[in-house]
Amino acid sequence: SRFFPGEVFNTDLPPFAAATAGKPALGEALFYLTCRTEKIVSLVAEEVVFPSLAQGGVSRSRLREYIQSKFPQSKSADHIGQSIVRSYQFYGIGSPNRTRLNVSLREGCLASFAYVLHLEFPEPGMHAFEKMFDGPMHKWLLWDQQWMIRQLYQLREAGLLSKVSEIDRLRQFTTKYTLADAVQRIVALAQESPK
């Protein structure tokens, strides 16, 4: 139910998962989907983990305090916090130790970038860089903004985007497919990519 919310079978995930099995790209996509369906994970990502980048991460006690503040009646803040930390570790987004979850801006995989980009911008059209930077791709997945820009150009070269333009302060990209139409092209990208 986490990856198919509302028990709706999305036909895009199975071929993407098959093409990225055993690669970091699958972990990135599944972490994104986890954040999208588990509200507490996305809240922790945006309001606790992302703001902690300057410190290189966040203490487990800070995570527990935040979760307890969101669920004051809950006796399972520790368990929820441990599950969130395990998600960061399992999907390759952060690395925990006994007292902290360590995170930093990171470079991801082109295939997961393409997949998540089409989930974030499901309709073909023109989109501002800032909308991408202010959203989950940066705040949940901790993808570096300069790396994201380079991936946009790679997707244009691969034929998944029709245009990327940076003119003065106006920076935008144009998607040309819905995810359903793009998924086979994304799968092909994943199969070409070493990671």
Side-chain angles (χ1 to χ4, degrees):
S1 65
R2 173 175 290 158
F3 302 121
F4 300 104
E7 297 183 18
V8 174
F9 182 75
N10 298 320
T11 56
D12 55 85
L13 184 56
F16 179 81
T20 57
K23 297 179 181 180
L26 180 57
E28 293 175 341
L30 293 180
F31 184 80
Y32 168 86
L33 292 171
T34 300
C35 286
R36 206 162 80 163
T37 56
E38 303 285 344
K39 187 67 176 163
I40 187 62
V41 182
S42 63
L43 285 171
V44 165
E46 284 184 31
E47 297 182 8
V48 182
V49 176
F50 181 73
S52 78
L53 281 170
Q55 292 81 43
V58 61
S59 70
R60 288 178 183 254
S61 59
R62 171 69 184 107
L63 289 172
R64 194 170 36 255
E65 288 166 14
Y66 178 83
I67 294 163
Q68 196 68 61
S69 74
K70 291 293 177 188
F71 302 104
Q73 306 303 318
S74 175
K75 296 194 183 345
S76 59
D78 275 344
H79 176 69
I80 295 168
Q82 289 169 7
S83 295
I84 291 172
V85 168
R86 275 194 305 273
S87 294
Y88 271 86
Q89 180 179 21
F90 184 74
Y91 294 129
I93 310 302
S95 61
N97 62 31
R98 203 172 51 73
T99 59
R100 286 172 55 87
L101 171 62
N102 299 303
V103 293
S104 60
L105 287 179
R106 46 191 294 282
E107 295 185 357
C109 305
L110 180 61
S112 53
F113 178 84
Y115 183 71
V116 171
L117 184 76
H118 283 84
L119 286 168
E120 280 293 293
F121 301 96
E123 293 302 316
M126 195 177 299
H127 310 282
F129 281 23
E130 285 64 35
K131 189 169 182 195
M132 177 180 66
F133 294 155
D134 291 340
M137 298 175 81
H138 184 52
K139 292 183 176 178
W140 295 354
L141 291 162
L142 306 177
W143 282 336
D144 177 76
Q145 291 183 358
Q146 292 306 310
W147 177 83
M148 288 170 35
I149 293 170
R150 290 192 303 273
Q151 302 325 290
L152 289 174
Y153 284 102
Q154 286 197 24
L155 292 182
R156 184 190 66 189
E157 294 305 311
L160 274 158
L161 298 180
S162 53
K163 194 163 130 186
V164 178
S165 59
E166 296 182 78
I167 304 166
D168 297 324
R169 295 184 193 271
L170 187 64
R171 303 185 308 166
Q172 54 198 20
F173 61 94
T174 306
T175 55
K176 57 199 253 193
Y177 302 108
T178 63
L179 179 58
D181 293 332
V183 76
Q184 288 309 317
R185 291 170 174 87
I186 295 169
V187 163
L189 265 182
Q191 291 167 336
E192 293 169 12
S193 175
K195 60 178 191 166

